[in-house]
Amino acid sequence: MFGRRKKSGAADTAGEAEQVVDAVAGEDAADAAEQPRKVNLPPAPRPDGPWDVSEVAKPEEGRVDLGGLYVPGVEGMELRVEVAGDAIVAATIVLRDSAVQLQAFAAPKKEGIWGEVREEIATGIVQQGGAIDEVEGPLGWELRAQVPVQLPDGNRGVQIVRFVGVDGPRWFLRGVISGQGAVQPEAAGLLEQIVRDTVVVRGEGPMAPRDPIVLKLPNDAQMVPDGVQQEEQAGSRFSGGMGQLQRGPEISEVR
């Protein structure tokens, strides 16, 4: 079932962190358009995924069809899709006290862009007063960031977030891990496996590099009003009992 949800407590903290990241990404994209493009390396091999749709015989098996992404279904998870204007551009998987936001973008045919994007994210967060540590993690090179946020009591604080990325054939998949999976990366194994098992559908149409690959609601999605979803999700198979790590406007799915 789908429904718009309000934020409170930790939700506000996570939401502001994502807004800072989105603002930084927008500024960096504008700066990048004015500067000569860097030469990037070809995409690295992906023997364990994430997958291009051409590499998977039946991408719909065990996954939720979001159009541009097939996202794995995991027992106990909550799936939310996030909107920008009239378009659905990201999917967030909440699993117990952790979450990963997935967003796919178009990329050049023969170049990966994660190295360039990683540098831009790091620069932007440092300019915002945050801190960055670049490490080689289970999904390759990633950023472990302390992002400035405003706490519910009005004071300033930081949220720990992990930025992971994978270059594919003409696409780039970015994951933002928050919650316990970012604070204690060793606890994020299932979230990392979700990233690996995700299937990207780039499509054959022309797209400029960094254009978001637009998603869609599953065919069986049902909308519910505010206040109804949280009561009903307690008995849902994919409900994680989470009331945080969300941002608006957004649409939430509990399966």
Side-chain angles (χ1 to χ4, degrees), residues 57-72:
K58 296 182 179 180
E60 71 279 1
E61 287 191 354
R63 299 180 179 91
V64 180
D65 181 3
L66 297 177
L69 293 176
Y70 284 90
V71 176

Side-chain angles (χ1 to χ4, degrees), residues 5-254:
R5 305 184 63 186
K6 298 180 180 179
K7 298 182 294 178
S8 61
D12 295 327
T13 305
E16 182 167 345
E18 292 176 359
Q19 290 164 9
V20 169
V21 171
D22 290 344
V24 167
E27 293 168 3
D28 290 336
D31 292 342
E34 299 174 359
Q35 298 176 1
R37 265 191 90 247
K38 300 178 182 178
V39 176
N40 295 303
L41 297 174
R46 295 168 289 104
D48 301 315
W51 310 105
D52 185 76
V53 67
S54 65
E55 300 167 335
V56 181
K58 296 182 179 180
E60 71 279 1
E61 287 191 354
R63 299 180 179 91
V64 180
D65 181 3
L66 297 177
L69 293 176
Y70 284 90
V71 176
V74 176
E75 188 71 22
M77 87 178 194
E78 181 180 339
L79 174 62
R80 304 170 185 165
V81 295
E82 301 182 19
V83 298
D86 295 329
I88 299 173
V89 296
T92 298
I93 296 93
V94 181
L95 193 62
R96 294 183 291 276
D97 52 0
S98 300
V100 59
Q101 181 195 71
L102 296 175
Q103 189 169 10
F105 304 86
K109 187 173 183 179
K110 297 182 179 180
E111 296 180 3
I113 62 174
W114 176 220
E116 182 177 315
V117 170
R118 196 166 66 241
E119 180 179 330
E120 292 169 3
I121 293 173
T123 300
I125 290 177
V126 170
Q127 289 175 348
Q128 294 277 344
I132 287 289
D133 188 17
E134 186 174 25
V135 302
E136 190 167 8
L139 295 168
W141 285 102
E142 66 177 74
L143 296 176
R144 297 183 181 176
Q146 297 181 42
V147 180
V149 296
Q150 184 172 355
L151 301 175
D153 61 7
N155 292 323
R156 301 297 295 177
V158 296
Q159 184 188 12
I160 298 176
V161 181
R162 292 171 59 196
F163 293 88
V164 299
V166 181
D167 291 305
R170 301 176 66 209
W171 53 257
F172 163 66
L173 180 66
R174 186 189 75 176
V176 184
I177 298 174
S178 56
Q180 199 64 21
V183 176
Q184 295 182 312
E186 63 274 11
L190 189 51
L191 288 181
E192 292 163 359
Q193 191 58 47
I194 287 173
V195 176
R196 290 191 186 96
D197 286 344
T198 294
V199 177
V200 180
V201 185
R202 158 64 171 77
E204 297 301 325
M207 295 180 68
R210 302 194 185 208
D211 277 358
I213 297 175
V214 177
L215 309 182
K216 70 176 185 65
L217 296 179
N219 294 331
D220 59 351
Q222 296 179 349
M223 298 298 299
V224 296
D226 280 343
V228 174
Q229 177 181 354
Q230 189 163 3
E231 296 173 5
E232 294 183 353
Q233 76 177 19
S236 173
R237 185 166 65 88
F238 281 175
S239 171
M242 292 284 294
Q244 68 258 33
L245 297 170
Q246 56 206 359
R247 56 176 286 199
E250 67 182 23
I251 301 169
S252 301
E253 181 193 42
V254 182

